[in-house]
Amino acid sequence: MKIFSSLKYIPGMALFCILSIGCRSQKDTTLNRGLQNLTTRYNILYNANLLLEESLLTIENTYYDDFSQILPIYKDPSEREAPSVAPIIDSAIKKANTIVNEKTQSKYIDDAYYLIAKANYLKANFYDASEFFSYVIKTYPAEKELKLSSLAWKTRALIQLNYLEEAGATIDSALKYLDSSSKQATEVYTSYAQLLIRTGKAPQALEVLGKALDTNPPKKYRIRWTYILAQLQEANNQRDDAFLNYSRIAKSNASFEMAFNAELNRVRMRDEEGNRKNDKIASLRSMLKSDKYLDFSDQIYYRIGDVYLERQQLSEAIMSYQKATKQNTKSQVHKGLSYLKLAEIYFRTGNYTKAKSYYDTTLNTLPPTFHGYDQIRRKSGNLELLADRFRIIAKEDTLQALARMNEADREERIGQLVREQAQKTINESGSPVNPDAFIAAIDNPNIRQKEGKFYFNNSTAISQGFSDFQRKWGSRPPADNWRRSNKTASDVTETVQNQSGTGTLTQNQTPSSPDERRKAYIAEVPLSPQALRLSNERIAAAYYDIAGFYRDEMKDKDEAIRTFQELLKRVPESSYTPAVYYNLYLLYAQTNRQQSDVYRDMLLKQYPETAYAKTVLNPRYGREADEKEAAINQTYNSVYLLYTSRKYPQVIDEISKAERLFGKNKLSPQFAYLKALAAGHIQKLPPFETALQALADTFATDQLIAPIVRQHLEYISSHREEMNSRPTALLEYDPMNIFMEPEPVQSFAANEKRPLTTSPANKPSETVPAGQGQKVETPTTDTAPVKTTTEPKAALPPAMYSLPDSAEYYFVVNVLSPGVNLSPSRFGIGQFNRSKFAGSSIKHQLKTVNNENQLIFVGPFFSRKDVTNYERSILPLINDIMKIASERYNTFVISKRELEKLNTRAMINSYMEFYKNYK
């Protein structure tokens, strides 16, 4: 009996042996193929797919839906969330690779590649996912269902990468091969719907999503997509259908949060339909009385705040959002969103101190994995830049509005505003008002305004502006013709030394009297066409900086586009116009080819001679421009050496040749300035003054030379008698160095205890700042490292560095060549410092490090905020200031303590890795 009972195990043992032998054998036999198919399908693929399902469930459970926006079709992973599921996904990829590498006779290799592609998608490796899906599509075209699914997933990956035009072509291919019987219809339609939503085509998305719902998808997706369908119907003004679908969600077994938001939308739509504005708030408040919604009181107050915000009742909106933050809530995300709303309100209404506080609180409240967290962090970190640019716009708007009045009304209005301002203290409550009302207050003096964005009603802004005036013109008593008042030499020296532009380090001062305040500001009203043009240029420059911030720092192309378009709307013609056209051409290139072509055509038609137009027409123009720029820089360096050698006639001759050879270029203002200085050394005052005035008129919008020239003309006006008595306008020795003569080069040996820095070169940005002759998308080349003569020290890990708020700081230009002559570039930095940061204690010095790099370091600054302000001010002009190729230098900010650690290239690279991550 034992023998017979044992015999029943023999078939199983035999099968096991056969399977084992078959799995080891790689012979192409029917048996081996069958066994490999069996183990691949029911073991490896099955378990790998289970791992992917587990990862997807984790991603969906941790995903936060922002119900104030149209929801995405799928809860896709982000780079922040992906690491939490990476180990599980890596296990799935390992199993798939086993199939590819070991189960070579299996018919499931295509499924293995497909699984690897999906796994990369769930890890947020969207580019790799796209490539794997492309491989499946090209390699297995006969597998129709697999091909359709791969096309759908590839579309989703391309959307994540923002390759929207390529995504459109991919989904078009899927639709071409799709038929009604396909099992992949749901995936194809939903991927297409997501693309349409992303590109702002709600009506088409509505139709396609309806088709996806008709395919009878799984229940959890059907509920979600019905909610999105309602959102699209509402956006498309199909209010009855939207209300019906919201009602279905509210009565379904959807998640309580989705059902709650559906109910909120039903309440809002019902009240809007009946035009019962008061009832909308009342309906929301009635929900607060229900125990059913007790855990959602914060969201109800948030929605109440939204209603008040839509009505521009900002004080009530602020109160509602503040109540939302104080409610007991299980979700820190909702509290963080309320803080974010408060930050945005205070930012838009000019209370930047409170905005900064609320942005910081938002960051402390929201989890780092929150979608958009990095954008909020970058905006908070750059708030001062944005605030400064918006203050410029508000000030220029106000001054231009005053300029539109007749003289009597203008005097009366400014007097009234200054009297009101004198009686106010800074509004500590920060209560915002409707910014659109400020300009109306100018045209209608009977309207009384609270403090806000109207420049003369904002005590913070007016104090800042008066400080700007004092830094530019000095502390002047009330007097007629104050621009031409006689001054002693010491008075004028003080005035010149205190001239400054944006980013000054001097402390704010307050006006000493209302009359002084009135005279200070009326002097800035743009009454002449030239003054109005310069005012518009300042507005354009501010908008351009804001757009560049959204484009480069926030990676928010939509907001960058809106800001560039607002610039064109406000200032249709400025020196920034061709650069704006070029940026809009690039920004639209991947999302709206037709609109991109519109701006391309405008650029080519209106500005055919600009670098931007030439780059569009000739892809090699960037390289050719590099070669031309190198020649221009070399010529400037040669001329500068002639100037410092006091060979003034040769300077004039060589610059005249350069003007004929190169035409108008980015260094034209600096060539003209050197030429004027050289003429001043061999001619009397009248021709020198004429040359300066011509320079000021020709290059009125230049940000580096024009401010210096205006200072010179003001000085000449105040010292005309003394300068007329000179044998030449400029003397060989001028102790005050009013006219920016080149300073002796300060250079330090590597072993001196002086601040020093080096870093590898940065690549230029893809899009470019405004200005004629600047580079446009020029490629960079790696610079070969210079051999060192000393043994390099080990680099510190990035964690060993820090950038504290308060410390001694330096701005550094790191030059990757130990032998290049930097005197002309240092002259440019000196010009910038004296025109923009006059009166401060900063200096620029030179140091060679380890016979590898030269370092121009500017400072000291005594806080990270001050050195960052300097960095932001100089970077837009750095290509004009430095007379060497851009790939040969880099800039960064560093504290003195960290600088002293950097003695080798390896140490510098280590710090740069830290600095890039910090920014």
Side-chain angles (χ1 to χ4, degrees), residues 482-626:
W482 55 269
R483 291 177 183 261
R484 298 289 181 262
S485 297
N486 293 327
K487 300 291 177 186
T488 65
S490 60
D491 289 336
V492 174
T493 302
E494 181 180 355
T495 299
V496 173
Q497 291 298 322
N498 284 285
Q499 291 171 0
S500 177
T502 58
T504 181
L505 304 179
T506 9
Q507 294 295 321
N508 290 347
Q509 304 174 35
T510 54
S512 58
S513 71
D515 191 50
E516 184 176 357
R517 177 181 291 152
R518 183 186 65 82
K519 285 182 176 291
Y521 283 106
I522 201 171
E524 295 198 71
V525 176
L527 298 176
S528 68
Q530 171 73 356
L532 181 60
R533 184 169 71 88
L534 292 176
S535 176
N536 283 330
E537 283 288 331
R538 287 189 286 271
I539 292 174
Y543 273 118
Y544 194 91
D545 287 348
I546 295 167
F549 166 76
Y550 282 115
R551 179 196 64 208
D552 299 329
E553 296 295 327
M554 301 291 286
K555 310 299 181 187
D556 189 340
K557 290 187 177 182
D558 292 339
E559 192 61 36
I561 287 172
R562 281 192 288 269
T563 308
F564 278 129
Q565 289 175 334
E566 181 66 18
L567 189 164
L568 292 175
K569 178 181 176 183
R570 294 291 313 280
V571 189
E573 292 291 336
S574 73
S575 63
Y576 291 85
T577 305
V580 173
Y581 285 164
Y582 180 76
N583 276 279
L584 287 170
Y585 157 70
L586 290 180
L587 289 167
Y588 272 122
Q590 289 188 345
T591 58
N592 190 332
R593 176 61 67 179
Q594 183 178 1
Q595 195 65 23
S596 176
D597 289 342
V598 168
Y599 286 108
R600 176 185 181 275
D601 294 343
M602 291 170 68
L603 174 62
L604 297 178
K605 182 179 179 180
Q606 298 177 30
Y607 302 95
E609 298 303 317
T610 62
Y612 309 106
K614 292 175 182 178
T615 299
V616 170
L617 293 174
N618 178 14
R620 290 180 51 83
Y621 178 78
R623 181 168 297 180
E624 295 168 1
D626 277 350

Side-chain angles (χ1 to χ4, degrees), residues 379-565:
K379 190 169 185 178
S380 175
N382 291 274
L383 188 63
E384 188 166 347
L385 179 147
L386 293 173
D388 175 70
R389 301 314 188 264
F390 279 117
R391 272 195 292 263
I392 291 171
I393 294 168
K395 177 181 177 180
E396 297 301 330
D397 283 345
T398 301
L399 292 171
Q400 289 188 21
L402 291 169
R404 291 194 292 268
M405 298 179 177
N406 61 52
E407 185 174 2
D409 290 344
R410 181 166 54 251
E411 288 282 351
E412 179 183 355
R413 185 64 181 134
I414 290 178
Q416 177 187 350
L417 291 167
V418 170
R419 287 192 299 273
E420 292 176 1
Q421 172 62 27
Q423 298 171 4
K424 293 180 181 180
T425 58
I426 295 178
N427 187 356
E428 294 295 338
S429 67
S431 298
V433 297
N434 183 358
D436 293 336
F438 295 131
I439 298 302
I442 300 174
D443 300 322
N444 184 0
N446 295 322
I447 299 177
R448 297 184 59 85
Q449 296 294 329
K450 298 179 182 178
E451 187 164 322
K453 277 191 175 178
F454 175 59
Y455 192 78
F456 291 114
N457 277 339
N458 189 319
S459 56
T460 303
I462 203 171
S463 177
Q464 176 70 37
F466 190 80
S467 299
D468 291 341
F469 178 87
Q470 286 193 320
R471 287 191 296 272
K472 185 173 182 180
W473 300 110
S475 181
R476 298 173 181 265
D480 293 333
N481 300 319
W482 55 269
R483 291 177 183 261
R484 298 289 181 262
S485 297
N486 293 327
K487 300 291 177 186
T488 65
S490 60
D491 289 336
V492 174
T493 302
E494 181 180 355
T495 299
V496 173
Q497 291 298 322
N498 284 285
Q499 291 171 0
S500 177
T502 58
T504 181
L505 304 179
T506 9
Q507 294 295 321
N508 290 347
Q509 304 174 35
T510 54
S512 58
S513 71
D515 191 50
E516 184 176 357
R517 177 181 291 152
R518 183 186 65 82
K519 285 182 176 291
Y521 283 106
I522 201 171
E524 295 198 71
V525 176
L527 298 176
S528 68
Q530 171 73 356
L532 181 60
R533 184 169 71 88
L534 292 176
S535 176
N536 283 330
E537 283 288 331
R538 287 189 286 271
I539 292 174
Y543 273 118
Y544 194 91
D545 287 348
I546 295 167
F549 166 76
Y550 282 115
R551 179 196 64 208
D552 299 329
E553 296 295 327
M554 301 291 286
K555 310 299 181 187
D556 189 340
K557 290 187 177 182
D558 292 339
E559 192 61 36
I561 287 172
R562 281 192 288 269
T563 308
F564 278 129
Q565 289 175 334

Side-chain angles (χ1 to χ4, degrees), residues 567-703:
L567 189 164
L568 292 175
K569 178 181 176 183
R570 294 291 313 280
V571 189
E573 292 291 336
S574 73
S575 63
Y576 291 85
T577 305
V580 173
Y581 285 164
Y582 180 76
N583 276 279
L584 287 170
Y585 157 70
L586 290 180
L587 289 167
Y588 272 122
Q590 289 188 345
T591 58
N592 190 332
R593 176 61 67 179
Q594 183 178 1
Q595 195 65 23
S596 176
D597 289 342
V598 168
Y599 286 108
R600 176 185 181 275
D601 294 343
M602 291 170 68
L603 174 62
L604 297 178
K605 182 179 179 180
Q606 298 177 30
Y607 302 95
E609 298 303 317
T610 62
Y612 309 106
K614 292 175 182 178
T615 299
V616 170
L617 293 174
N618 178 14
R620 290 180 51 83
Y621 178 78
R623 181 168 297 180
E624 295 168 1
D626 277 350
E627 295 171 357
K628 181 179 178 181
E629 181 180 340
I632 293 172
N633 284 336
Q634 184 177 356
T635 301
Y636 184 90
N637 291 338
S638 300
V639 171
Y640 180 84
L641 289 177
L642 289 173
Y643 184 86
T644 56
S645 301
R646 301 181 180 179
K647 299 178 180 179
Y648 303 121
Q650 287 180 254
V651 170
I652 296 173
D653 289 343
E654 291 300 318
I655 291 178
S656 296
K657 292 179 184 177
E659 289 171 344
R660 292 192 296 270
L661 178 62
F662 299 119
K664 188 175 182 181
N665 60 79
K666 73 170 189 173
L667 294 188
S668 291
Q670 297 182 57
F671 274 120
Y673 181 65
L674 270 185
K675 188 176 183 179
L677 291 183
H681 278 283
I682 59 177
Q683 297 175 340
K684 298 279 287 182
L685 178 62
F688 175 60
E689 184 178 13
T690 300
L692 289 179
Q693 188 60 59
L695 201 161
D697 294 339
T698 304
F699 304 105
T701 60
D702 182 80
Q703 298 182 53

